[in-house]
Amino acid sequence: MLAAFAIAAVSAMAQIQYVVSGTYDGNGKTVYLIDELTEKKIDSVVVADGKFAFSGTADKDALMAVKVNKNHWTTQFFNDGTPVSINLNDSTLKGSPQNERLTKINYELEQPPSIRLTSSPTTSSSIRRVRSSTAVFVARRCTLGWRFL
């Protein structure tokens, strides 16, 4: 029984390869690859000739993001093993269907009229605007009783 638990724990933390390539009109600027759950920088590269690239290994289905700085749009994706191509100029992503849907949802959350969240009737009725970089917050709040308007 202990062996089965150990195998399950190891498989839950399986590392798979990620390959991220992209374009950005910011030659000489630094682009960061971030683990969205821990908010730690995984890697960084300097944009050359309008291009950047990352590769390595991370947890399977880890929520990762690429961004230029804290004031710039964050393009999120799940590490599902499918190569990702990101255009930071228009915040588009090409990759697995799951990652393309995530990008579309995040983009739509930023567009007017924004999708708003409101608490359930048993708590405050305040309305909150959701930013694209807060997908983790949205997921957590939805499990705590928040609903889409």
Side-chain angles (χ1 to χ4, degrees):
M1 178 119 142
L2 184 58
F5 179 77
I7 291 171
V10 170
S11 65
M13 297 175 11
Q15 298 273 308
I16 62 172
Q17 183 175 3
Y18 61 84
V19 176
V20 179
S21 61
T23 58
Y24 181 56
D25 290 339
N27 285 332
K29 298 238 178 181
T30 303
V31 176
Y32 300 94
L33 179 65
I34 298 167
D35 179 321
E36 280 287 89
L37 294 179
T38 63
E39 298 181 2
K40 291 185 181 176
K41 293 177 187 170
I42 298 170
D43 199 357
S44 63
V45 295
V46 175
V47 176
D49 297 323
K51 298 179 190 254
F52 63 89
F54 299 101
S55 65
T57 58
D59 290 345
K60 181 177 180 350
D61 296 325
L63 181 59
M64 303 169 82
V66 173
K67 67 194 249 180
V68 179
N69 60 45
K70 65 182 175 182
N71 298 322
H72 191 270
W73 176 272
T74 300
T75 304
Q76 299 174 325
F77 64 95
F78 290 102
N79 183 27
D80 58 9
T82 303
V84 173
S85 177
I86 298 171
N87 182 335
L88 290 176
N89 300 310
D90 62 8
S91 302
T92 56
L93 176 144
K94 299 263 189 236
S96 69
Q98 171 181 326
N99 282 324
E100 289 180 12
R101 282 192 304 272
L102 175 64
T103 301
K104 182 179 177 188
I105 289 168
N106 282 338
Y107 184 77
E108 288 173 356
L109 287 173
E110 282 294 312
Q111 300 308 305
S114 63
I115 294 176
R116 296 175 296 161
L117 292 180
T118 184
S119 61
S120 62
T122 59
T123 61
S124 167
S125 63
S126 63
I127 296 173
R128 298 178 184 247
R129 187 167 188 274
V130 179
R131 295 191 41 149
S132 66
S133 61
T134 59
V136 174
F137 169 79
V138 172
R140 288 182 183 153
R141 292 312 261 167
C142 286
T143 62
L144 296 175
W146 290 63
R147 60 181 168 80
F148 285 101
L149 282 178

